[in-house]
Amino acid sequence: MEQWIVLLCLALAGAGQCLGSFSDYDYGGMPVMINRLVGEPSVLSLRGRVDANWYRVMNSESCPLECDCPIQWPSAMYCDSRGLTAQGVTPSAEPFHQLQQPDRYPRAPARWPEANLFINYNNLTDIPGPLPDGLKQLRLAHNKIGKISPNAFENLKNLTLLLLHGNQLKTIGEADFKGLQSIILLDLSHNKLIEFPKNLPPSIQQLYVSNNSLASLPQDCLMGFDRLQYLRISHNKLVNQGLPADVFNVPSIVELDLSYNQLSSIPPVHQALQYLYLEANHIQGTDA
């Protein structure tokens, strides 16, 4: 224990003493406040956090009417909270298809290499498409997606961030994330998963599966994830009996969030771990 640093945030300590807000400038220089207490830093929407002056809606020939295209971040298209109900390739999916037609839309070439799509807080029941091959970040949080269509992400080899937080996913199929060769952050929190997702891309560095219904983890669920650094499984139903003895013995992990589960003791972790969150479990005491 003396060779590694572990931060234990137990119920008696209070979450507020361990968590806080900070500024993030990952949005093209736009200051965005982030708070882990509300399930971030996987920012899901800019609503209410960014000064309205940052948004400038371009003319309809450059940006779809359903979306905003701020000149401060020319690679981004914001389609949050527009009531979109696109299911696969339908007429209402036109805003996303437009990115693949640079001859029709003058701004498309500039945004092609590293496009970023914000489609949070809509009524999507499936992954919209077709999506541009050069897509870098895709935010589909807080929709009604219950399944991932075959080959939905097959051509998105450059995608590094995928947010599916706040949907209705129950299972993850073998080929659901096929093609995601560069994915770094995958957020599957606030879904209806009862089993830890299998067949995830090994490139993942940040994996969030909080607020699901996981009661146990398979023995080999983290095998092969040599780049995984941040794993968040808070607000589930994990019990010690459902955790294999060495499931968290992963040297690459620096932060592990197991708070708000049903653990009665601290599970074994790798000595390289730096932050361990355990608040609101059934742990009575610790000699850490």
Side-chain angles (χ1 to χ4, degrees), residues 113-134:
E114 296 186 355
N116 300 274
L117 292 183
F118 293 73
I119 323 175
N120 305 304
Y121 293 96
N122 282 287
N123 298 314
L124 303 181
T125 57
D126 204 345
I127 307 297
L131 294 167
D133 294 347

Side-chain angles (χ1 to χ4, degrees), residues 235-253:
H235 293 86
N236 276 279
K237 301 177 181 179
L238 294 178
V239 295
N240 288 87
Q241 295 84 345
L243 300 180
D246 59 348
V247 66
F248 297 127
N249 187 27
V250 182
S252 61
I253 297 180

Side-chain angles (χ1 to χ4, degrees), residues 48-254:
R49 309 186 202 190
V50 179
D51 190 300
N53 292 329
W54 280 93
Y55 286 96
R56 293 190 185 180
V57 181
M58 307 303 289
N59 60 61
S60 59
E61 294 183 355
S62 299
C63 183
L65 293 177
E66 296 87 346
C67 307
D68 292 335
C69 302
I71 61 174
Q72 291 85 355
W73 197 6
S75 65
M77 179 178 289
Y78 297 97
C79 310
D80 288 1
S81 306
R82 305 303 167 96
L84 299 179
T85 58
Q87 299 184 31
V89 183
T90 68
S92 57
E94 183 66 15
F96 321 120
H97 185 59
Q98 289 176 2
L99 286 181
Q100 302 209 60
Q101 303 181 41
D103 55 323
R104 288 184 55 195
Y105 297 90
R107 293 190 69 204
R111 65 176 68 241
W112 180 270
E114 296 186 355
N116 300 274
L117 292 183
F118 293 73
I119 323 175
N120 305 304
Y121 293 96
N122 282 287
N123 298 314
L124 303 181
T125 57
D126 204 345
I127 307 297
L131 294 167
D133 294 347
L135 198 61
K136 192 76 171 181
Q137 299 184 5
L138 177 60
R139 292 166 167 83
L140 290 166
H142 293 284
N143 278 278
K144 300 177 180 179
I145 299 172
K147 64 176 181 178
I148 298 176
S149 299
N151 306 318
F153 305 118
E154 187 172 19
N155 297 321
L156 303 185
K157 63 180 181 179
N158 297 319
L159 194 72
T160 60
L161 181 148
L162 175 59
L163 299 188
L164 288 166
H165 176 112
N167 279 283
Q168 300 177 11
L169 295 171
K170 296 181 179 179
T171 59
I172 300 298
E174 181 176 354
D176 282 3
F177 295 115
K178 181 181 179 181
L180 298 182
Q181 303 175 11
S182 305
I183 193 73
I184 293 176
L185 191 157
L186 175 61
D187 193 340
L188 296 171
S189 301
H190 289 273
N191 274 280
K192 298 181 178 181
L193 299 175
I194 58 175
E195 296 183 352
F196 192 86
K198 301 178 181 179
N199 307 299
L200 298 179
S203 61
I204 292 177
Q205 297 180 25
Q206 302 179 50
L207 176 60
Y208 306 151
V209 288
S210 299
N211 292 90
N212 280 283
S213 298
L214 306 179
S216 62
L217 300 179
Q219 174 72 39
D220 59 350
C221 66
L222 300 178
M223 185 175 298
F225 288 91
D226 299 331
R227 304 178 186 178
L228 183 62
Q229 298 182 43
Y230 301 91
L231 177 60
R232 296 177 180 168
I233 322 181
S234 65
H235 293 86
N236 276 279
K237 301 177 181 179
L238 294 178
V239 295
N240 288 87
Q241 295 84 345
L243 300 180
D246 59 348
V247 66
F248 297 127
N249 187 27
V250 182
S252 61
I253 297 180
V254 297

